[in-house]
Amino acid sequence: MTVTDQQPPADDPEARTPATDPAADPAAGPAKDAARAALHDRIAADSLTTRRDYLRIVATVSGGLAVGGVAVASGVLHRHGDSEGAPEPKKVTEELPPGESIAFRYPGDEDRAVAVRLADGTLVGYSAVCTHLACAVLWRKERGEEGELYCPCHEGVFDARTGEVTAGPPPRPLPKVLLTEELDGSVWAVGTTRSGESVRDGLCRQFLDERPEMAARLRCPGAAEPEPRTERGRAT
Ligand code: FES
């Protein structure tokens, strides 16, 4: 499903997919909480999370990041990455085939975001709020070599792989939404980045206080030394 394919619900003029509509989310309620807790634990727990998980999180994210335009800079709009703490992981969709995208909200219920699976399988996520004047950014897979993110308000265009501005008036690239893919193919949003912030720095900022073991393993500034592991992957 693409952003432009989605039918807006009657109570919301913007695109929202069944996977992100709380009323239609199959993981809603206690099941959702359990799934969220399980994923959070899986990401964070020393015995279950390996460096490979970190690398996978980082590898599934590409592109630049930024705060938005005038409205964002003046504080009228919530910026992606404003939160100091780690946002709760959120299931974006059960699966995302190559060339497709899906609109969702993250980290807050008002924060428009978009996830895209590029033709080569790369998974990318961005704020869907244009950094010019905050119009909704859409995915156009038929444009360019691997599609593009497009803002129809003033013909703004962003690189699908990096989020960098390639045309039009947007002053900065799109902020990123950090995505990871589970073994069952489901796609989860696990964090965001700020303007000028690397993926690692974004993860460090969000994990330093709430997930110190994660911060330690990423060797974040200010984090404790990571504990040594035994052959079975458990800290001694
Ligand atoms: Fe997106 Fe102007 S609001 S290009």
Side-chain angles (χ1 to χ4, degrees), residues 193-213:
T193 62
R194 289 174 172 166
S195 178
E197 187 177 50
S198 69
V199 171
R200 178 176 177 275
D201 288 347
L203 290 173
C204 286
R205 171 175 51 78
Q206 291 165 89
F207 286 145
L208 193 60
D209 292 332
E210 297 181 22
R211 299 290 180 183
E213 73 285 358

Side-chain angles (χ1 to χ4, degrees), residues 130-135 151-156 169-170:
C130 181
T131 57
H132 182 218
L133 294 175
C135 286
C151 178
C153 287
H154 310 97
E155 303 289 320

